[in-house]
Structure formats: structure tokens, C-alpha cells
Amino acid sequence: MEGIGQFLPFILMFVVVYFFMIAPQMKRAKKEKKFNAELKKGDKVITKSGLHGKILELNDKDQTCIIETMSGKVKFERSAISMELSAKASAQA
């Protein structure tokens, strides 16, 4: 019984770290993956670097997309599209 009492603070610390850091990060990663899977042609998006544009093509083979901007077409990785910024942009439109 005394052995468990010594490890109780470490166990409680792990539980707190799990619920406040690990679980929310896993939930966010799952939402990001779902967002990338639901992208379609014509979606208005914003990349993580701040580039605004509209999706022209999606390539599932190498996980890239072609985005049309005001200055031309640019090829980006699908993971470079920001979920939060794109959601705000589509909500305003």
C-alpha cells in the first residue's frame, strides 16, 4: 500500500497532462485530417503561409492541390492549407 502512495503524485500528474494536453491535440489532429479529406474543387482556402485562393485540382496520389490566386496557379501540399483560416473565409463568403 505504501508503494502506491509514493507513485500517486506521478500518476495524477500523468492523468492531468493527458486530459489537458494529449487528448485535445489528438482531437485537433483528427479534425484536421477530416478537413483535408473533405476538401473539394472550388473551395476557397487560405494556406498556413497566408496565401488566399480557390482550389482548382486535388491530387490524391501525392497529396497536393493546385490553388488559383489572383496572380496565377500555385501547387501546394494539402497539409499546408489552414483549417481555421479557411473555415473563417468560407463563413464570411
Side-chain angles (χ1 to χ4, degrees), residues 3 21 30 43 60 63 71 75 81 83:
M21 294 180 79
K30 192 174 184 180
D43 284 350
D60 290 331
Q63 294 296 310
S71 61
K75 187 174 186 177
I81 297 174
M83 178 177 64

Side-chain angles (χ1 to χ4, degrees), residues 15-61:
V15 169
V16 168
V17 166
Y18 179 79
F19 282 109
F20 286 106
M21 294 180 79
I22 298 171
Q25 185 65 28
M26 289 171 44
K27 184 177 179 182
R28 180 186 165 127
K30 192 174 184 180
K31 280 179 65 176
E32 188 87 29
K33 189 174 182 179
K34 181 182 176 194
F35 170 79
N36 280 337
E38 292 177 349
L39 285 174
K40 59 187 180 300
K41 292 180 184 178
D43 284 350
K44 292 184 180 180
V45 296
I46 303 173
T47 65
K48 291 180 181 176
S49 62
L51 183 79
H52 294 242
K54 184 170 71 171
I55 296 178
L56 289 181
E57 276 184 48
L58 292 168
N59 188 348
D60 290 331
K61 185 178 179 183

Side-chain angles (χ1 to χ4, degrees), residues 1-16:
M1 189 69 178
E2 203 171 288
I4 294 175
Q6 291 176 341
F7 291 111
L8 190 60
F10 294 112
I11 294 170
L12 289 174
M13 197 167 34
F14 177 75
V15 169
V16 168

